[in-house]
Amino acid sequence: MSILAKIAEIENEMARTQKNKATAHHLGLLKARLAKLRRELITPKGGSGGGTGEGFDVAKTGDARVGFVGFPSVGKSTLLSNLAGVYSEVAAYEFTTLTTVPGVIRYKGAKIQLLDLPGIIEGAKDGKGRGRQVIAVARTCNLILIVLDVLKPLVHKKLIEHELEGFGIRLNKQPPNIGYKKKDKGGINFTTTCPQTELDSETVKSILAEYKIHNADITLRADCTADDLIDVVEGNRVYIPCIYVLNKIDQISIEELDVIYKVPHCVPISAHHRWNFDDLLEKMWDYLKLVRIYTKPKGQLPDYTSPVVLPDGRTSVEDFCLKIHKNLIKELKYALVWGASVKHNPQKVGKDHVMEDEDVIQLVKK
């Protein structure tokens, strides 16, 4: 029996089962089995196997990486061509783009790599239509733009979300607040810090038993679902921010456009007419959360043209030094920082000081 057949069987059984307290335990087990089968689909068992697909992934350049995901013929290539000035083959039939096409834009001093990925079709997470490679490249992005046709958005949005979820990509979510630690002995130690509506100690034990884990500490610090627990145990989930780009707005009325503007995480554009690109770029910048640091040589004015761009959460002076060269941190005596992160300008700081956007730094060597 193939993996796909097993997955279909479990999905059918989940659809047949009523949801209530008595069946929660059983449903949790089925979800865990499903997650295991999905993982086998992504990483097939066995040795070296066949060769990999023809050069699909692209070398990472720039400060951030943004991937365009969407069904065939929604205007991903047109969007890339008009944003980055890179020619990605555009035609009026589906599946024009067959491999990844990279482009780079400069925005607010940061270099952002844009990837035009081939169209996704239904069943991509099961390996249909190069879907596996497309979603594997999507996993490495810092931000995903889901490009939708404004005339049929909701059906597509649900399908694409389902495909990405099945591949372990979680869109616009935070990792679940669950402490999980494997042990050698001592059984399952289950603690909660707030009331749980779905998980109880029996369900947790049965889900862990499905993964053959019998000794672990589990701490639930929020009201979690079985899916959250499975995500933590699997451990290969990536949490990526996502913007829904509704293309082809030149085909709808102003009233419909007003409605679209109220949807969260959405930007309506027209790739062909280049409408509303600045709004899209601004939103991309917000979601990427990049931090620009300007450098200042001693006795000169700061260089505001080419900042050093750091990802959010890794913005200490040490990270800044490592970004430039790994030997720099050994020679660092202290740094002078001007900007929002210090109390007085300039301030003498050590390597652990965390900087904020648009700070100016001057390094003093030993």
Side-chain angles (χ1 to χ4, degrees), residues 233-247:
V233 176
E234 282 269 350
N236 61 355
R237 305 289 188 246
V238 284
Y239 297 86
I240 303 179
C242 159
I243 299 175
Y244 303 103
V245 180
L246 292 170
N247 192 9

Side-chain angles (χ1 to χ4, degrees), residues 95-337:
F95 296 108
T96 326
T97 310
L98 293 173
T99 59
T100 317
V101 180
V104 175
I105 53 169
R106 295 204 72 115
Y107 187 65
K108 295 193 177 179
K111 274 171 78 177
I112 300 172
Q113 184 183 34
L114 304 176
L115 296 184
D116 176 18
L117 302 173
I120 283 187
I121 53 175
E122 221 175 317
K125 65 178 186 303
D126 310 328
K128 279 192 195 148
R130 294 215 89 167
R132 237 189 247 173
Q133 291 121 311
V134 175
I135 304 184
V137 176
R139 276 180 70 111
T140 65
C141 296
N142 302 92
L143 170 69
I144 290 180
L145 296 188
I146 293 186
V147 188
L148 304 166
D149 191 333
V150 78
L151 301 172
K152 39 187 177 183
L154 285 171
V155 193
H156 279 182
K157 176 171 180 271
K158 291 237 163 47
L159 284 171
I160 290 181
E161 279 175 350
H162 185 65
E163 298 296 328
L164 294 176
E165 291 268 315
F167 224 82
I169 294 177
R170 300 285 175 266
L171 301 172
N172 288 330
K173 275 190 194 164
Q174 291 301 318
N177 199 348
I178 299 179
Y180 164 69
K181 194 174 168 194
K182 269 180 159 180
K183 303 183 296 190
D184 293 341
K185 53 180 188 282
I188 301 283
N189 186 5
F190 174 70
T191 47
T192 59
T193 55
C194 57
Q196 298 291 323
T197 51
E198 191 176 316
L199 292 174
D200 54 7
S201 97
E202 280 304 302
T203 316
V204 170
K205 278 181 182 161
S206 65
I207 289 176
L208 291 174
E210 186 63 41
Y211 283 99
K212 299 190 172 59
I213 294 169
H214 302 294
N215 303 302
D217 290 335
I218 297 281
T219 317
L220 304 181
R221 302 191 191 89
D223 187 3
C224 301
T225 62
D227 291 328
D228 291 342
L229 180 65
I230 292 169
D231 281 354
V232 170
V233 176
E234 282 269 350
N236 61 355
R237 305 289 188 246
V238 284
Y239 297 86
I240 303 179
C242 159
I243 299 175
Y244 303 103
V245 180
L246 292 170
N247 192 9
K248 310 189 183 175
I249 54 169
D250 47 327
Q251 300 174 7
I252 58 169
S253 65
I254 299 284
E255 289 76 21
E256 289 171 301
L257 195 57
D258 283 344
V259 175
I260 289 171
Y261 244 104
K262 296 190 176 78
V263 183
H265 310 301
C266 260
V267 181
I269 63 154
S270 167
H272 185 68
H273 295 284
R274 304 185 180 217
W275 293 347
N276 208 14
F277 275 12
D278 44 0
D279 208 27
L280 174 64
L281 286 168
E282 193 53 48
K283 198 149 193 154
M284 272 165 56
W285 182 259
D286 286 349
Y287 278 57
L288 283 169
K289 292 195 176 124
L290 297 173
V291 172
R292 292 161 294 174
I293 308 292
Y294 300 113
T295 53
K296 177 187 179 307
K298 195 173 176 186
Q300 292 173 26
L301 286 171
D303 175 15
Y304 287 117
T305 51
S306 48
V308 175
V309 180
L310 300 171
D312 186 45
R314 290 207 298 256
T315 58
S316 68
V317 176
E318 187 172 3
D319 295 319
F320 170 83
C321 293
L322 290 173
K323 171 101 186 195
I324 295 171
H325 198 280
K326 59 180 187 287
N327 287 346
L328 196 58
I329 192 75
K330 293 172 190 161
E331 302 171 358
L332 180 74
K333 190 173 178 189
Y334 60 86
L336 294 172
V337 174

Side-chain angles (χ1 to χ4, degrees), residues 293-294 296 317 334-350 353-356 358-363:
I293 308 292
Y294 300 113
K296 177 187 179 307
V317 176
Y334 60 86
L336 294 172
V337 174
W338 290 255
S341 66
V342 289
K343 288 198 176 91
H344 41 83
N345 292 327
Q347 187 170 323
K348 203 167 163 180
V349 297
H353 174 74
V354 176
M355 294 181 286
E356 286 178 30
E358 305 216 61
D359 277 5
V360 176
I361 187 171
Q362 174 184 329
L363 300 178

